[in-house]
Each structure stands twice: as structure tokens, then as C-alpha cells.
Amino acid sequence: MIFEASHCIIKDIQNDKTIFMGHKCDNVYAINISKYDGHDKCFSSMHDQSWLWHKRLGHANMNLISQLNKDELVRGLPKINFQKNKVCEACQIGKQIKNSFKNKNFISTTRPLVLLHMDLFGPSRIPNLGGKSYAFVIVDDFSRYTWVLFLSQKNEVFYEFSKFCNKVQNEKGFTITCIRSDHGREFENIDFEDYCNEHIVLTTIFRLLELLNKMG
């Protein structure tokens, strides 16, 4: 089958003869079968049924499809063996990660705490000795210094972050200007938004006072 922008052609691969031609209409290629009444026709589709249903069900996991089959939860789902030892090309491409960004040969920040990179991972299958299953990682862009805070629950991120901010700003004598995350919901919520808005305002006031003091 050869698909073009306006039509599709179905050919016999043995003699390269055109058998049918369809025209595109509303994103569907339609064939007028009545035009070919003078010919013998046999329509068949050679396809692995298990992977055909995998695609029909939105590329569902084979274990899930087997459970749907066992419990008869989908009408028309045939009683076939769903193979789990193959790889779906579309699923493989869909789960590929993007290439890493190129390494920078310069530092874009001018002092510590200008930019903090944050991420949370977990829950780990095996908790640490303190019973914590999550790890909250914070990296300073300027120094690349890294802090790792262990958490019991995902909703502890904001509380630990607010404590961390107060502690590290007092220790280093700098203010945190910007934070960067992966836009996870543990970071993008009303608590973080309110805290960051207040922090930016205080930082701006502090800088203005510092500038006024230098000007005398």
C-alpha cells in the first residue's frame, strides 16, 4: 500500500500491478469497491491478533490485556494468547528520552544560591535505615554543591524546602534568587507559589536597601 497526500494505491507486489485506488476524504482513504465488480476479490488481513488488540486498546500493557481477557471485561476481545516477549515499536519510540543537553564550558551564575536545581525521586523499594523512601536533591548551579534530604512522604517537600532555605541563606550569607524543577506537582502548588512570591519580594527590597546604603 502506497499512501499519498490525496490518495492511496494498493498493488500486487508480485507483478507491481495496481489492484485498488482510494481517495482521501476527511482524513480517511475510501475505496469504491463497486468500480471493481468485474474482478474476483478476497479481502484478508494477515496480522498478529495479540499485537493488533494491543494497538486497539491504546498500547495497553500485555498483563493488563490478559487480565481483561480473563475477566471478560471487553466485548469482542478474543481468547488468544497475548505474547509478552516482543517489543512494540511505537511503545519503544514513545518511551525514549530526549538526548541530553550539551555540557556548558562556562558558569552562567555569578554567586552561590542564584539558581538551585531541585528534584524528588521515590518511593524506593527499600527504605533507608531511618525509614525514609524519598530523596529530595538540591544542586547549587554556581558551586555544584549538592544537598540530599530524605523524606518519608512526598508531601513533606515544601516543609523541608522552607527549612532548608532559612538555614542555607543564614549560613552562606546569600539569598536564593531562582529555583528550577521538573514541574512536578510536589513543586508546583500554592504553598511553593506563595513562598516564592514572598521570597522574591523580600529579595528585591533587600537589594534596593543595599543599593541605597552604597549610594550613601
Side-chain angles (χ1 to χ4, degrees), residues 136 138 149-151 153-167 186-187 189 191-192 195:
F136 180 21
I138 304 173
L149 310 176
F150 294 99
L151 313 177
Q153 300 293 332
K154 199 173 185 177
N155 57 11
E156 297 176 6
V157 172
F158 172 71
Y159 174 70
E160 294 296 333
F161 175 72
S162 60
K163 286 201 310 179
F164 166 82
C165 286
N166 294 331
K167 179 181 178 182
E186 63 271 14
F187 300 116
N189 52 60
D191 293 328
F192 260 94
Y195 184 89

Side-chain angles (χ1 to χ4, degrees), residues 50-188:
S50 61
W51 288 96
L52 176 61
W53 276 96
H54 165 74
K55 296 175 182 178
R56 284 175 174 172
L57 296 174
H59 295 267
N61 184 280
M62 283 300 182
N63 290 326
L64 173 62
I65 300 177
S66 296
Q67 190 64 40
L68 294 174
N69 194 341
K70 178 181 177 182
D71 297 337
E72 299 182 351
L73 298 176
V74 177
R75 294 175 184 172
L77 185 61
K79 295 289 185 180
I80 55 180
N81 182 31
F82 291 93
Q83 303 174 8
K84 306 174 185 178
N85 58 347
K86 294 183 179 180
V87 177
C88 172
E89 183 178 352
C91 291
Q92 191 176 30
I93 295 174
K95 293 177 181 177
Q96 283 182 343
I97 60 173
K98 294 181 179 179
N99 291 331
S100 300
F101 292 103
K102 293 182 179 179
N103 293 330
K104 296 190 300 184
N105 56 4
F106 64 94
I107 300 175
S108 55
T109 49
T110 56
R111 63 166 176 82
L113 303 187
V114 169
L115 174 62
L116 296 180
H117 303 274
M118 306 189 308
D119 194 16
L120 177 75
F121 70 86
S124 59
R125 289 184 296 174
I126 302 175
N128 66 6
L129 295 177
K132 308 294 181 66
S133 300
Y134 291 87
F136 180 21
V137 181
I138 304 173
V139 181
D140 176 55
D141 187 80
F142 180 77
S143 64
R144 311 311 297 177
Y145 191 86
T146 303
W147 297 267
V148 180
L149 310 176
F150 294 99
L151 313 177
S152 298
Q153 300 293 332
K154 199 173 185 177
N155 57 11
E156 297 176 6
V157 172
F158 172 71
Y159 174 70
E160 294 296 333
F161 175 72
S162 60
K163 286 201 310 179
F164 166 82
C165 286
N166 294 331
K167 179 181 178 182
V168 76
Q169 288 179 131
N170 290 333
E171 286 181 353
K172 308 302 179 184
F174 296 111
T175 54
I176 298 171
T177 305
C178 184
I179 59 175
R180 179 178 292 168
S181 70
D182 60 355
H183 300 288
R185 282 193 288 180
E186 63 271 14
F187 300 116
E188 293 195 349

Side-chain angles (χ1 to χ4, degrees), residues 16-30:
D16 198 34
K17 179 182 178 181
T18 299
I19 303 175
F20 297 113
M21 179 176 290
H23 297 277
K24 189 174 182 180
C25 179
D26 295 331
N27 255 3
V28 174
Y29 292 91

